[in-house]
Amino acid sequence: MDFFSAFVKYVPLVVIGLIPIMNPLSTVPLYLALTKGMNAQVKRRQIRNACFYAFCILLVFLLLGNGMISLFGISIPGIRVAGGIIILILALRMMFSGEDQAASVDAEPEKIMRTDLDFSFSPLAMPSLAGPGSIAVVMSYGSEIPREETIAGHAIVITGIAITVFSAYLALIAASRIERFLGPHGIQAVTKIMGFLLTCIAVQFIASGVRDFIIAFSGAHAG
């Protein structure tokens, strides 16, 4: 398969895997609360910075993920199963509580605002947009890149990350309109749907990891 065909085939799969766990709609209420009373220019700057930071966080974990695996002696099937379990837990929370608990913060928006700090990195970029679930998805995709296709594989995943982060940028730019159009119940319904899609993706990650464990164990036992 040539690079263009692989690009067209796999980039959408990366986006589909990341969109439900990043779930930009779950960040909209927090963003609206934090930016209440700010002028449009400051709001846009916060959105740009948050999306830039989220992209950089995911990029770092994609590029350094295999190094972390080697450093700690973790197998590729292990990271797939672990990532799948983390994603599954977050997905079930999204389905049954209506929100992604990994994207929540301990402090109330009013308290965060009173500190008069730039909140684009935390809590918007991390953990809301680039939380443990998104990181797990990126590392899982990175672990599936064939060694002989390292450059092309990373280019595909990075493109998928960029498209996903851009979709988050668009969602935050249109936050006020989305809130008025969907309302709290609509946002909750979309979150539950994304939670279901994410559950399917998590099960696939776990099944893939378990399959590789079985293959590796069978080969070692036969040897």
Side-chain angles (χ1 to χ4, degrees):
M1 182 182 295
D2 61 88
F3 175 73
F4 180 76
S5 300
F7 191 86
V8 172
K9 178 179 180 180
Y10 291 112
V11 167
L13 295 179
V14 175
V15 175
I16 291 172
L18 269 177
I19 280 284
I21 187 63
M22 184 175 288
N23 190 10
L25 290 180
S26 68
T27 306
V28 167
L30 177 63
Y31 163 76
L32 291 172
L34 290 171
T35 58
K36 187 179 298 183
M38 292 184 177
N39 60 54
Q41 184 178 2
V42 174
K43 288 182 178 181
R44 284 183 176 271
R45 185 169 65 248
Q46 295 295 325
I47 294 173
R48 287 196 302 269
N49 290 345
C51 292
F52 174 75
Y53 292 144
F55 176 80
C56 290
I57 291 168
L58 297 179
L59 181 63
V60 167
F61 277 94
L62 171 65
L63 298 179
L64 300 182
N66 288 331
M68 295 178 184
I69 291 172
S70 300
L71 178 64
F72 293 102
I74 304 171
S75 66
I76 298 300
I79 194 64
R80 289 176 184 168
V81 173
I85 291 173
I86 292 173
I87 299 167
L88 180 62
I89 293 172
L90 298 177
L92 293 177
R93 286 177 174 175
M94 290 169 66
M95 289 181 64
F96 296 111
S97 69
E99 61 182 5
D100 178 3
Q101 299 293 333
S104 62
V105 292
D106 294 333
E108 294 295 328
E110 293 78 7
K111 294 181 180 178
I112 298 174
M113 290 178 66
R114 281 199 293 270
T115 62
D116 195 28
L117 296 175
D118 181 5
F119 54 81
S120 57
F121 184 84
S122 179
L124 289 181
M126 189 175 190
S128 191
L129 292 176
S134 299
I135 291 171
V137 170
V138 167
M139 290 186 66
S140 295
Y141 279 130
S143 70
E144 294 178 354
I145 297 175
R147 291 185 178 181
E148 64 275 11
E149 300 290 345
T150 299
I151 296 178
H154 279 87
I156 289 171
V157 178
I158 291 171
T159 302
I161 293 173
I163 293 174
T164 305
V165 171
F166 183 68
S167 71
Y169 173 82
L170 295 179
L172 293 177
I173 286 291
S176 299
R177 295 179 181 177
I178 292 174
E179 183 185 41
R180 289 195 299 268
F181 178 75
L182 292 180
H185 295 294
I187 291 178
Q188 187 180 53
V190 172
T191 299
K192 289 181 181 295
I193 293 173
M194 289 187 172
F196 173 75
L197 295 175
L198 196 59
T199 301
C200 299
I201 294 170
V203 170
Q204 186 63 43
F205 274 140
I206 294 173
S208 176
V210 171
R211 180 199 62 196
D212 291 345
F213 267 129
I214 295 173
I215 293 174
F217 178 79
S218 299
H221 185 70

